[in-house]
Amino acid sequence: MLYYALQVATGKESAFVSHVNRLFPDLGLTHRLIHLTRELTIRRQGKYLKETRPLFSSYLFLESNGKLAVGVIDKLKSVPDFYHFLKSNTNITPLSPSDVSILQHFLTMGPKVGSSLVIFDENDRIVVLEGPLKGLEGNIIKVDRRKKRAKIRVDFENSPMTIDLAFEVMEKETSIQKN
């Protein structure tokens, strides 16, 4: 499988996928358009709400069995809110193996990335027990315990990208009983 990245208008990722599925239903037989989202807990007016946001804002991924045909490229370019393929529209290249490994890490979580389950050790460092942060502990650059978010840094397409992911803290009594 080869994966290609395309950039669309920010906030229009879901609409873009809907347009493609509606305008070109045959495209889904040979290619898969991937729109990853994440669930965050947002506090508004004193209330906590679950909100779904894009994992990679303004980016979608196209899974293909091989090199993209000119017809597929032209179809995607004709959809409203399309910006460009990565690296460029004239130099469309599949994602590098390191980028694919990051993408596949999140694909194993499903189309919506949920919260990770964490505890904090005696030195007040985060320890990830399960969830999307598992395996990315070395990429955590900031932890906000009040908002229950961890900011991770990943190198994607040879440039740093930061992503906020939600976590839930397991109580210490529960972790003692579990061991």
Side-chain angles (χ1 to χ4, degrees), residues 6-22:
L6 50 136
Q7 189 174 14
V8 298
T10 303
K12 305 282 185 165
E13 299 90 351
S14 294
F16 185 87
V17 173
S18 296
H19 278 87
V20 169
N21 291 337
R22 186 174 41 82

Side-chain angles (χ1 to χ4, degrees), residues 2-173:
L2 294 177
Y3 293 91
Y4 297 88
L6 50 136
Q7 189 174 14
V8 298
T10 303
K12 305 282 185 165
E13 299 90 351
S14 294
F16 185 87
V17 173
S18 296
H19 278 87
V20 169
N21 291 337
R22 186 174 41 82
L23 296 172
F24 310 110
D26 59 319
L27 189 67
L29 301 174
T30 56
H31 299 79
R32 181 171 70 132
L33 200 55
I34 301 166
H35 174 227
L36 292 171
T37 59
R38 62 195 161 131
E39 191 173 82
L40 294 174
T41 303
I42 309 291
R43 185 176 172 191
R44 286 205 181 107
Q45 299 175 348
K47 296 179 182 171
Y48 288 97
L49 307 167
K50 295 280 186 184
E51 193 171 287
T52 302
R53 294 187 179 168
L55 183 62
F56 296 99
S57 185
S58 80
Y59 289 99
L60 298 174
F61 302 96
L62 186 68
E63 182 182 71
S64 176
N65 289 330
K67 191 168 171 64
L68 288 181
V70 175
V72 172
I73 295 168
D74 291 339
K75 285 178 181 179
L76 291 172
K77 283 182 181 179
S78 70
V79 177
D81 299 319
F82 173 85
Y83 286 160
H84 62 87
F85 282 94
L86 295 184
K87 306 214 186 270
S88 71
N89 283 342
T90 56
N91 184 20
I92 301 169
T93 56
L95 295 177
S96 69
S98 62
D99 293 343
V100 170
S101 69
I102 292 168
L103 181 61
Q104 287 179 336
H105 172 80
F106 290 114
L107 283 173
T108 60
M109 308 294 159
K112 186 191 292 186
V113 175
S115 298
S116 294
L117 186 60
V118 304
I119 59 171
F120 288 90
D121 67 8
E122 61 276 352
N123 296 323
D124 218 24
R125 290 181 298 204
I126 192 167
V127 178
V128 182
L129 301 175
E130 62 183 45
L133 288 170
K134 186 78 173 166
L136 297 174
E137 293 89 352
N139 297 40
I140 297 173
I141 56 173
K142 183 179 178 185
V143 175
D144 188 333
R145 290 178 89 161
R146 186 180 66 81
K147 290 184 179 180
K148 296 182 180 178
R149 292 189 201 167
K151 187 178 293 269
I152 63 167
R153 179 179 175 253
V154 293
D155 288 325
F156 203 78
E157 282 291 313
N158 296 323
S159 62
M161 179 182 281
T162 58
I163 303 168
D164 281 351
L165 294 173
F167 65 79
E168 296 293 327
V169 180
M170 182 167 23
E171 299 299 322
K172 292 190 187 265
E173 299 82 31

